[in-house]
Amino acid sequence: MADVLPLVEARLRTALGEPDARAAVTFLGTDRIEVLRFTEGDIVRYATLGMSAQPMSDPTAVLADPVKGPRAELVLSVRAGLADTDKVLRPLAVLAASPQVEGVIVAPGASLDVGEPLWPGAPFTSVLVAEPGGLVEDLALDEPLDPVRFLPLLPMTPNEAAWKRVHGAGALQERWLSSGTDLRDPVRKSVALD
């Protein structure tokens, strides 16, 4: 079976350019997760590399399938210079390791919470997983492997996360859209949820 990570990194470089920084985190009992930083103008993008090495498996399955199952990497985009967002590297690695550690399948519409600010002073402790395909195209792999999907992460305030649990991801995204919310603003306030 071919190692998918070089292919994933090549797809990230094609879509986002050359990374200007990278960091690696290893958690006990998991594969190494890297986070690559790409800067383009006033936008900084952080992309995980390592989450897609193994397919995500159903937490109720007795045995994890080593071949079949969804594969993904995470991508977070923020405006540069407004906050110390480089400290998001460890929280992103934690989120990318969650399929291995907690046996969860990360998919669009899901909420992921790290239980602490994503970076110092951040009003966000969680993210909404958005639909893939806009920024980085899916990476097709040889059969029978599932493609690697590059899932955008949208930071949520605790109020937004609570509202999303009640009303759903689509309703929260609609609220952001109708309010003209800049989801890349690393210090933005919660959208009005009345």
Side-chain angles (χ1 to χ4, degrees), residues 48 50-52 54 56 70-74 106 147-151:
T48 62
M51 182 177 170
S52 63
Q54 304 294 327
M56 293 179 274
R71 294 174 187 260
E73 296 290 353
L74 308 175
V106 177
V148 177
R149 303 171 86 198
F150 298 88
L151 301 172

Side-chain angles (χ1 to χ4, degrees), residues 1-15 17-19 22 32 34 36 38 48-54 71 73 136 139-141 145 148 150:
M1 200 60 61
D3 184 3
V4 303
L5 295 184
L7 302 173
V8 170
E9 184 169 353
R11 175 58 53 93
L12 287 168
R13 287 172 184 265
T14 299
E18 287 299 311
R22 68 193 306 146
R32 173 176 139 133
E34 288 190 84
L36 309 179
F38 301 86
T48 62
L49 179 64
M51 182 177 170
S52 63
Q54 304 294 327
R71 294 174 187 260
E73 296 290 353
V136 183
L139 173 64
L141 300 173
L145 303 181
V148 177
F150 298 88

Side-chain angles (χ1 to χ4, degrees), residues 4-79:
V4 303
L5 295 184
L7 302 173
V8 170
E9 184 169 353
R11 175 58 53 93
L12 287 168
R13 287 172 184 265
T14 299
L16 305 176
E18 287 299 311
D20 59 7
R22 68 193 306 146
V25 180
T26 305
F27 303 101
L28 188 63
T30 66
D31 295 330
R32 173 176 139 133
I33 302 286
E34 288 190 84
V35 178
L36 309 179
R37 183 182 72 190
F38 301 86
T39 305
E40 181 183 340
D42 70 337
I43 301 297
V44 179
R45 293 191 170 91
Y46 301 93
T48 62
L49 179 64
M51 182 177 170
S52 63
Q54 304 294 327
M56 293 179 274
S57 58
D58 183 340
T60 62
V62 176
L63 288 174
D65 189 319
V67 176
K68 296 188 76 56
R71 294 174 187 260
E73 296 290 353
L74 308 175
V75 181
L76 173 69
S77 301
V78 293
R79 295 206 179 283

Side-chain angles (χ1 to χ4, degrees), residues 32-184:
R32 173 176 139 133
I33 302 286
E34 288 190 84
V35 178
L36 309 179
R37 183 182 72 190
F38 301 86
T39 305
E40 181 183 340
D42 70 337
I43 301 297
V44 179
R45 293 191 170 91
Y46 301 93
T48 62
L49 179 64
M51 182 177 170
S52 63
Q54 304 294 327
M56 293 179 274
S57 58
D58 183 340
T60 62
V62 176
L63 288 174
D65 189 319
V67 176
K68 296 188 76 56
R71 294 174 187 260
E73 296 290 353
L74 308 175
V75 181
L76 173 69
S77 301
V78 293
R79 295 206 179 283
L82 301 175
D84 187 10
T85 56
D86 279 352
K87 297 286 194 296
V88 77
L89 300 177
R90 184 166 178 76
L92 266 183
V94 167
L95 295 177
S98 63
Q100 287 182 57
V101 175
E102 299 171 23
V104 297
I105 294 180
V106 177
S111 299
L112 304 174
D113 196 319
V114 293
E116 61 186 33
L118 293 175
W119 50 83
F124 320 106
T125 60
S126 63
V127 293
L128 175 65
V129 181
E131 290 292 332
L135 187 61
V136 183
E137 287 183 33
D138 291 355
L139 173 64
L141 300 173
D142 293 337
E143 290 290 335
L145 303 181
D146 287 19
V148 177
R149 303 171 86 198
F150 298 88
L151 301 172
L153 300 180
L154 308 175
M156 293 188 293
T157 65
N159 284 347
E160 290 169 339
W163 197 84
K164 181 255 177 195
R165 279 192 295 277
V166 173
H167 300 280
L172 178 58
Q173 289 177 302
E174 184 59 41
R175 186 60 61 105
W176 282 335
L177 189 60
S178 65
S179 299
T181 305
D182 180 2
L183 296 173
R184 294 178 177 170

